Amino acid sequence: MATFLYKLGRLAFRRRHFVALIWVALLTLAGVGAASAPAAGNSSFSIPGTEAQKAFDLLEQRFPGMSADGATARVVFKAPDGEKMTDAAHKATVEKTVKELSDGSEVASVADPYEGNAVSKDGSIAYASVSYKVSGMELEDSSRDALETAADEARDAGLTVEIGGDALQTTPETGATEIIGIAIAAVVLVITFGSLLAAGLPLLTAIIGVGIGVSTIAALAAALDLGSTTSTLASMIGLAVGIDYALFIVSRYRAELAEGRSREDAAGRAVGTAGSAVVFAGLTVVIALVGLSVVNIPMLTKMGVAAAGTVVIAVLIALTMIPALLGFAGRRVRPAGEKSKLLGGGRAKSAAKAAKPNMGTRWASFVVRRPVAVLLLGVLGLGAAAVPAASLELGLPDDGAQPTSTTQRKAYDLLSEGFGPGFNGPLMIVVDAKGSDDAKAAFTEVGDEIKGLKDVVTVTPAAPNKAGDTATITVIPDSKPSSASTEELVHAIRDKGSDIKASTDAEVLVTGSTAMNIDVSQKLNDALIPYLILVVGLAFLLLIVVFRSILVPLKAALGFLLSVMAALGAVVAVFQWGWLSGLMGVEETGPVMSMMPIFMVGVVFGLAMDYEVFLVTRMREAYVHGEKPSQAVVTGFRHGARVVTAAAVIMMAVFAGFIGSSESMIKMIGFGLAIAVFFDAFIVRMAIVPAVLALLGKRAWWLPKWLDSALPNVDVEGEGLRTRSDAGDEDRELVRA
């Protein structure tokens, strides 16, 4: 592989005008496609295989036009102190608001609070329920605007008005946070390279790659039912890996120049060596992201595949566009160790200063001398950080997790005040009595059985469909939606349903947003172990091919598990326990988002293997070329530690920018990924990895002879390049081919 990529790098360097034209054309084509494609709303949301989804599908069949999975909104009204919502003036205001809300084209129904007994016992709070024909992800902005306008008019009449429900669900804006991440990345690149031009190349190519990826997603959004949320993960991952991959190749190019090679040969060797690591690092990220499909949540699968596509683009750009741009830059990209005149370059270094080992060399030498102490300190530190993970509670956020300044949170609190905490998470019971001899008796029995359960406040009478074979019953729990008590109630109703079916032949299904959240959490929990086995197993096999070793990939996988557990512990400490919550802007602690563990495993595993491949490949390269195992560790750090550190800081900056989001879910993802990269890059890869390799010595690179002969030789270390005597002849052969 190294030889092929070497040829590709030299060819891209020589034919730089052609290569640049291809990428600009692709960017233009993707941009035109995105601009001309029909506007796509948010993708439809479904969770195949869950009871809640089965109930939604049944309601669509038995209650045509009901839009069971449609968006809902609760417009909550509160009278001024000393007044009641039943006063004539306030009643007139509410009725006017209900009439205005009913006029929307996407509105299915609006329940008048005075007709539906939706006024609190003390008369101070009332609410109007609005049901829509489409889901919250598909709702048009005009419908949301109409909802907010009606609320504003009621406020002008003297009432306190807040809006809850998923109708106001929108995709968080993240543009400003991405700009912050890019700005920090630019500073790190300038410090790393000592050159503005060299620092600009990774930024430019990463932005072009993300532009192509996100524009392609936008162009295909309507055809493939890709929502606006799909591009969020793609841009986040694409930007981070795009900068990192280009960073490694530019860094290797400057190192080759420092050894006295010509610029064309240096570009070829940079792509042949660092580019090989980029290919395999990219493959691990793609495996992790595509592997999200095992969860069988269509939206998550689409997000993973779209992000994987952006990673593939980042790899291709690093292998072709970077050497082309290096050709355009010429002598303005200086050899390693030289700075531009603008940043203080051009002054001769003293011999003592030039011979002084860099920070990476000094650190690796220390670790090699004290491997046991470093290993124990690293493992114990990560173990301590992972302790809170033992108390991990999973759930999906509701309006109660919103910042207290939002209207959704205010509506949530008003409903809890007026009607009890469980009112924010009603359960919808669907009774399918099509196979029952007496449907009405079955409906009555279901209601009676549920009334006798613990934690039930209200059970509404059954509401049958026109055929009389299916009915819905609403159950109001006594506890809030995200509580363990509500989850236990859902399971208790389902257990009762089994007994009811045995006696009446009627099937009882529990659905609604609260039940759906519980089912999604369970589905994600069940998928975590198979996902880990799939992703870690495939990557383990891939790394065996890369490193031609058993113990190095095993050590890489175990180190990753340590860093992920430590990161989950940090997430629990901040978002569940409330440690440093003020600093992180966490206004409400609660269960960790159920998608977080599997999401973190997928994204962080791919990124963690980047650092493993880039750092350890350089060690193996030194070992293959004759150095002792301990010296190879030091050599790998001398060449790679500075660049890996810069890459990790850039990755952390990109992810940490999302901590400033007002959405608790985005905030949690940003913090979790940033802290996971910190743990993995600086503790696992920079401390535990060299310590383990120092202890193992030659055994680290052991591979059974039968396996060594069976595996393909991909030559990631570039050994084949050492024996090249006439690069020009082979390049001409490539051109003729």
Side-chain angles (χ1 to χ4, degrees), residues 83-118:
E83 301 179 23
K84 294 188 176 183
M85 289 304 304
T86 51
D87 295 346
H90 299 328
K91 188 174 182 179
T93 299
V94 172
E95 289 176 342
K96 179 184 176 184
T97 303
V98 169
K99 186 175 183 303
E100 290 177 355
L101 291 172
S102 302
D103 294 336
S105 60
E106 292 184 316
V107 175
S109 64
V110 181
D112 189 314
Y114 302 104
E115 296 177 0
N117 193 27

Side-chain angles (χ1 to χ4, degrees), residues 386-445:
V387 168
S391 303
L392 178 67
E393 296 178 9
L394 297 176
L396 287 178
D398 54 27
D399 286 346
Q402 295 274 7
T404 53
S405 59
T406 62
T407 187
Q408 293 97 323
R409 174 60 185 276
K410 291 175 180 177
Y412 182 97
D413 291 340
L414 284 176
L415 287 171
S416 295
E417 176 188 339
F419 303 92
F423 201 79
N424 284 291
L427 305 175
M428 179 181 286
I429 313 302
V430 181
V431 185
D432 180 7
K434 197 167 187 177
S436 176
D437 295 332
D438 190 345
K440 289 184 179 180
F443 300 153
T444 302
E445 182 175 342

Side-chain angles (χ1 to χ4, degrees), residues 337-606:
E338 293 187 18
K339 295 183 179 180
S340 66
K341 292 182 179 180
L342 182 64
L343 296 173
R347 296 190 293 270
K349 293 183 179 180
S350 66
K353 188 173 182 180
K356 183 180 179 181
N358 61 20
M359 181 67 74
T361 302
R362 295 197 297 273
W363 169 250
S365 299
F366 170 77
V367 174
V368 168
R369 290 196 305 270
R370 301 284 188 272
V372 176
V374 172
L375 178 61
L376 288 176
L377 189 61
V379 171
L380 290 176
L382 289 178
V387 168
S391 303
L392 178 67
E393 296 178 9
L394 297 176
L396 287 178
D398 54 27
D399 286 346
Q402 295 274 7
T404 53
S405 59
T406 62
T407 187
Q408 293 97 323
R409 174 60 185 276
K410 291 175 180 177
Y412 182 97
D413 291 340
L414 284 176
L415 287 171
S416 295
E417 176 188 339
F419 303 92
F423 201 79
N424 284 291
L427 305 175
M428 179 181 286
I429 313 302
V430 181
V431 185
D432 180 7
K434 197 167 187 177
S436 176
D437 295 332
D438 190 345
K440 289 184 179 180
F443 300 153
T444 302
E445 182 175 342
V446 171
D448 291 342
E449 290 286 348
I450 294 175
K451 285 177 184 177
L453 293 175
K454 182 183 176 183
D455 203 43
V456 173
V457 173
T458 305
V459 178
T460 65
N465 61 351
K466 290 183 179 180
D469 58 5
T470 308
T472 60
I473 299 173
T474 300
V475 177
I476 306 297
D478 186 42
S479 49
K480 63 181 182 179
S482 59
S483 68
S485 298
T486 300
E487 183 175 351
E488 290 171 3
L489 175 60
V490 170
H491 292 310
I493 294 173
R494 287 172 173 169
D495 291 341
K496 281 288 183 184
S498 300
D499 298 335
I500 293 171
K501 185 172 184 179
S503 60
T504 66
D505 290 325
E507 186 175 11
V508 178
L509 303 172
V510 185
T511 188
S513 60
T514 301
M516 179 66 84
N517 288 350
I518 292 170
D519 287 352
V520 170
S521 298
Q522 186 62 50
K523 193 175 182 69
L524 288 165
N525 289 343
D526 293 342
L528 183 57
I529 298 302
Y531 178 69
L532 263 175
I533 293 173
L534 172 69
V535 172
V536 176
L538 288 176
F540 179 77
L541 296 176
L542 185 65
L543 292 179
I544 288 178
V545 175
V546 174
F547 295 126
R548 308 194 78 77
S549 163
I550 297 293
L551 296 179
V552 171
L554 180 61
K555 172 259 315 166
L558 294 176
F560 156 74
L561 293 176
L562 261 179
S563 58
V564 166
M565 291 304 298
L568 279 176
V571 169
V572 170
V574 173
F575 292 90
Q576 190 174 307
W577 291 0
W579 293 6
L580 301 177
S581 57
L583 181 63
M584 296 295 170
V586 180
E587 298 184 14
E588 185 74 19
T589 59
V592 172
M593 182 182 65
S594 55
M595 196 179 292
M596 193 70 196
I598 200 164
F599 186 83
M600 185 179 289
V601 166
V603 176
V604 176
F605 182 78

Side-chain angles (χ1 to χ4, degrees), residues 30 123 141 156 160 174-175 214 216 237 289 342 355 393 412 447 557 575 608 652:
D141 289 339
D156 293 339
T160 297
T174 56
V214 172
T216 302
I237 302 300
L289 292 171
L342 182 64
E393 296 178 9
Y412 182 97
F575 292 90
M652 289 168 59

